[in-house]
Amino acid sequence: QVQLVESGGGSVQSGGFLRLSCAASGYTSSRGCMAWFRQAPGKEREGVAAIDGLGSTSYPNPVKGRFTISRDNAKTTLYLQMNSLSPEDTAMYYCAARRYSYCSGPRLEQSEYDYWGQGTQVTVSS
């Protein structure tokens, strides 16, 4: 059974940084696609960073240059480094993983992912 557990969320001031982690137990797809999504109150869930089996990454424009996704395949841990945070980044952040053992091409669409964590809250104050 695959379990994704996020950590690292918290409250920071505008301009600050946070590093989120996602520990993936039971997930043996070391070259699978993984991603981070976020959902702010009253808004739809959106992808903020994705990585494929070869380490290629993808980011939407609002976070490009500020967020960096990475993974430690040996530990099947996913990370999200978030810099220059603004109040607009306030949301619940979720880790997601695709079930296929190999994935080429990072994906930011929710429908591509089979496993989800419970989320970690990020709050940025001005």
Side-chain angles (χ1 to χ4, degrees), residues 2-4 22 24-37 49-53 69 71 73 76 78 94-117:
V2 175
Q3 185 175 17
L4 305 178
C22 171
S25 61
Y27 186 64
T28 58
S29 305
S30 62
R31 291 190 174 271
C33 276
M34 299 186 77
W36 287 96
F37 289 78
I51 189 167
D52 73 359
I69 188 171
R71 68 196 297 173
N73 286 336
T76 59
L78 187 70
Y94 299 91
C95 169
R98 201 161 184 251
R99 70 176 187 266
Y100 299 107
S101 60
Y102 177 76
C103 176
S104 177
R107 300 142 198 259
L108 286 170
E109 299 78 25
Q110 294 185 62
S111 60
E112 297 282 358
Y113 295 90
D114 305 288
Y115 309 112
W116 294 83

Side-chain angles (χ1 to χ4, degrees), residues 50-85:
I51 189 167
D52 73 359
L54 296 179
S56 295
T57 58
S58 180
Y59 307 91
N61 286 336
V63 308
K64 196 172 292 184
R66 300 188 299 121
F67 288 12
T68 303
I69 188 171
S70 61
R71 68 196 297 173
D72 179 341
N73 286 336
K75 298 181 179 180
T76 59
T77 302
L78 187 70
Y79 303 99
L80 183 67
Q81 178 69 40
M82 305 186 295
N83 299 328
S84 302
L85 286 164

